[in-house]
Amino acid sequence: MAIIEVTHMKKSFGSLNVLKDVSFEIQKNEVIAVIGPSGSGKSTMLRSLVHLEEINGGSIKVQDQYLVKDGVYSSSPQIKAITSRMGMVFQHFNLFPHLTVQENLGLAPKHVKKQNKEEVRANGAALLQKVGLSDKADVYPGNLSGGQKQRVAIARALMMNPDIMLFDEPTSALDPELTGEVLAVIKQLAEEHMTMVIVTHEMSFAKEVADRIIFMDHGQVVEAGTPDQIFNQPKMERTREFLNRAAR
Amino acid sequence: MSMDYIVQIGKPMLEGAQTTILLFLISILASIPLGFVFTLMVRSAIKPLAWLANAYIYVFRGTPLLLQLLFFCFGLPVLPVIGEYLVLDRFVAACLAFVLNYAAYFAEIFRGGLLAIDKGQYEASKVLGLNRWQTTTKVILPQMFRVALPAVSNESITLVKDTALLYAVAVPELLHFAYTAVNRDFTIMPFVIAGVIYLLMTLVLTLLFKYLERRFKYE
């Protein structure tokens, strides 16, 4: 059963059509990598799934509930309920600079989920251990490297216990030698069968970790399939062109 | 110059300094929250509120504080018909002018602080499920105050010195007593003492804000 169903999604900024009729499905426990050139609409598509962008037409259905149906959004409590099932990791981390790592992790569980202090602390400690940053609990984000910041951001999203994790170019703002530590954490989540949608420029990572690849260009899904299909026998000329250029 | 003389003129000057400090405290404690209210009004989706706040800021930043002070102390009472009901205590009228003037500056300082906050902070808050109020109080305001701190520090030191404008509306304060002593005793010493007292006041503020900046460094 599809956990996310997107049909005929359209989005424009003024006269610029960023998404032109995008449709796809994501199954539970599936890891999807979304690839494509800059400006192809990948990020906008991802951001639309958590209502950071409002689409102008089409439908988004998450866990059998409509976030938006034929361009009409659900009520705002419903939107909140649906998007609360998804965690998001941003290219620029977006950690709260005035809070320590531990406080970054605890803010939403404490105020949104009304969890008690002990629960928040225990969950936080467990997730920090998972991302290998147990020793950084009381450090401010300003004193972390990019890779460490992104691992904290992943832990922060996981604190809300999401069913689906969305990654918007999680390694694009990192120095090359720091991408590995972040990709390792995402890979670990994949092994635990977390449902994930990852917008990425890391082709080898996409190939290795994804169950399915979606290739987007000019606001459309050009081709979707297993990594083997997309990377080794792409059907579309445009896909081949992009992969050849990306490989160089 | 004898120590006795310094003690003798120092006493009324320190009493004058009490007025200075009182005006400072009233002005800063009232104008910071009021300024923040204007910041919110400027950003409000309700357009007339935003226009009102912008007009207010334009008028109070765009005219001299001395003019505003004279306006509230001596201008209001000569208004036709309603003037006789607007005869305020001179010190109260002066406080009003200071609070309204400084609120306009603080509104602009806080607006700058809000502009400095990356939109990613709002997005992360939204995705984590924080509501508007939680986002504002837990994420945005703490960062805004941190960004605004150096400018607030600067402004508060300016405020200490601006209290000397009370001289123009004949409310006895530090400078008034110093000038009286200079004229009476024909010595420059009272001005020097006044200067030292102002420096002490600004020193306290400087140290306080240095501490706050360190305390909220987030490193």
Side-chain angles (χ1 to χ4, degrees):
Chain A
M1 187 199 81
I3 195 165
I4 297 180
E5 272 182 72
V6 173
T7 38
H8 307 300
M9 182 202 256
K10 292 180 193 69
K11 167 80 184 169
S12 52
F13 293 109
S15 61
L16 184 69
N17 295 320
V18 185
L19 298 173
K20 314 163 193 163
D21 199 5
V22 170
S23 300
F24 60 88
E25 280 187 4
I26 294 165
Q27 308 301 317
K28 194 167 186 299
N29 304 335
E30 206 177 18
V31 178
I32 303 285
V34 184
I35 61 172
S38 301
S40 59
K42 316 182 289 291
S43 286
T44 306
M45 180 278 287
L46 193 75
R47 290 162 56 81
S48 301
L49 297 181
V50 278
H51 196 234
L52 284 176
E53 306 284 355
E54 289 218 343
I55 60 173
N56 307 119
S59 307
I60 301 174
K61 202 168 165 188
V62 180
Q63 294 174 320
D64 261 341
Q65 284 178 298
Y66 279 106
L67 176 69
V68 45
K69 188 180 183 184
D70 299 326
V72 181
Y73 273 87
S74 299
S75 70
S76 77
Q78 274 175 299
I79 291 175
K80 209 162 178 184
I82 293 166
T83 53
S84 73
R85 307 308 312 145
M86 293 183 267
M88 172 115 180
V89 173
F90 299 88
Q91 180 178 356
H92 296 287
F93 331 124
N94 297 349
L95 294 176
F96 305 129
H98 62 299
L99 301 177
T100 63
V101 165
Q102 193 165 223
E103 290 165 343
N104 262 280
L105 264 57
L107 187 70
K110 193 167 134 200
H111 294 288
V112 179
K113 287 199 160 181
K114 312 290 179 199
Q115 289 175 355
N116 67 42
K117 262 189 195 157
E118 290 73 33
E119 199 179 354
V120 172
R121 188 169 284 266
N123 289 346
L127 282 171
L128 281 184
Q129 186 170 22
K130 183 176 184 151
V131 300
L133 292 170
S134 295
D135 56 331
K136 300 291 184 189
D138 296 314
V139 169
Y140 286 100
N143 291 346
L144 297 175
S145 73
Q148 290 171 332
K149 281 181 193 164
Q150 196 59 297
R151 285 187 282 156
V152 171
I154 293 171
R156 182 176 70 175
L158 291 173
M159 284 293 280
M160 297 303 276
N161 213 6
D163 296 330
I164 303 158
M165 283 285 280
L166 309 176
F167 294 83
D168 189 6
E169 303 196 23
T171 58
S172 295
L174 300 177
D175 291 339
E177 73 265 30
L178 298 177
T179 58
E181 59 190 68
V182 172
L183 296 179
V185 170
I186 301 175
K187 205 172 152 192
Q188 193 189 341
L189 290 175
E191 281 158 10
E192 294 165 9
H193 304 295
M194 171 67 83
T195 308
M196 295 194 280
V197 185
I198 309 164
V199 170
T200 185
H201 291 295
E202 300 274 342
M203 293 305 148
S204 58
F205 175 70
K207 201 182 212 168
E208 183 187 12
V209 83
D211 299 310
R212 244 166 5 108
I213 308 272
I214 293 177
F215 171 63
M216 284 181 70
D217 192 22
H218 291 114
Q220 284 170 316
V221 173
V222 176
E223 193 169 352
T226 63
D228 182 54
Q229 276 169 15
I230 298 290
F231 285 101
N232 300 332
Q233 44 224 321
K235 293 194 200 81
M236 309 298 284
E237 178 56 32
R238 184 70 197 90
T239 314
R240 217 167 298 148
E241 242 175 77
F242 171 75
L243 290 172
N244 279 339
R245 217 172 306 146
R248 242 178 274 156
Chain B
M1 194 60 55
S2 73
M3 204 59 208
D4 284 351
Y5 178 72
I6 293 176
V7 172
Q8 183 209 322
I9 62 161
K11 196 165 167 286
M13 284 173 70
L14 284 176
E15 274 166 25
Q18 283 177 13
T19 307
T20 299
I21 291 169
L22 189 63
L23 174 65
F24 170 80
L25 287 177
I26 291 172
S27 301
I28 199 123
L29 292 178
S31 61
I32 286 181
L34 184 63
F36 186 61
V37 169
F38 283 116
T39 305
L40 296 181
M41 280 172 68
V42 167
R43 290 164 57 92
S44 167
I46 307 162
K47 284 295 151 215
L49 272 186
W51 293 331
L52 198 68
N54 275 318
Y56 167 85
I57 291 168
Y58 178 63
V59 169
F60 276 88
R61 274 202 322 166
T63 57
L65 175 55
L66 183 56
L67 171 62
Q68 294 160 22
L69 203 54
L70 293 171
F71 181 89
F72 281 100
C73 289
F74 304 126
L76 290 184
V78 300
L79 277 176
V81 189
I82 54 165
E84 58 181 307
Y85 304 106
L86 294 174
V87 187
L88 302 170
D89 174 76
R90 205 75 64 65
F91 181 73
V92 173
C95 284
L96 200 60
F98 270 84
V99 168
L100 293 177
N101 178 276
Y102 271 79
Y105 282 95
F106 282 124
E108 280 299 283
I109 288 174
F110 294 144
R111 197 175 63 85
L114 285 179
L115 288 179
I117 294 169
D118 187 78
K119 83 177 199 314
Q121 294 290 306
Y122 295 91
E123 292 184 349
S125 304
K126 184 178 176 190
V127 169
L128 286 168
L130 298 171
N131 62 31
R132 251 185 103 133
W133 174 251
Q134 290 164 338
T135 303
T136 305
T137 56
K138 305 289 176 194
V139 177
I140 304 305
L141 290 191
Q143 295 185 57
M144 181 203 79
F145 282 117
R146 179 61 189 88
V147 174
L149 210 47
V152 170
S153 165
N154 209 15
E155 208 53 33
S156 66
I157 285 170
T158 304
L159 174 57
V160 169
K161 297 176 296 179
D162 276 354
T163 59
L165 288 170
L166 278 188
Y167 182 83
V169 292
V171 175
E173 43 67 72
L174 178 52
L175 190 63
H176 164 87
F177 288 107
Y179 195 29
T180 307
V182 167
N183 279 330
R184 185 188 60 215
D185 305 333
F186 208 61
T187 158
I188 202 172
M189 204 56 197
F191 279 157
V192 175
I193 297 170
V196 170
I197 295 175
Y198 280 118
L199 282 174
L200 283 175
M201 289 192 278
T202 51
L203 178 67
V204 170
L205 283 176
T206 305
L207 293 177
L208 173 70
F209 279 102
K210 279 248 167 70
Y211 166 77
L212 288 176
E213 280 178 31
R214 258 204 320 275
R215 168 72 182 70
F216 297 107
K217 201 170 173 205
Y218 306 131
E219 271 176 13

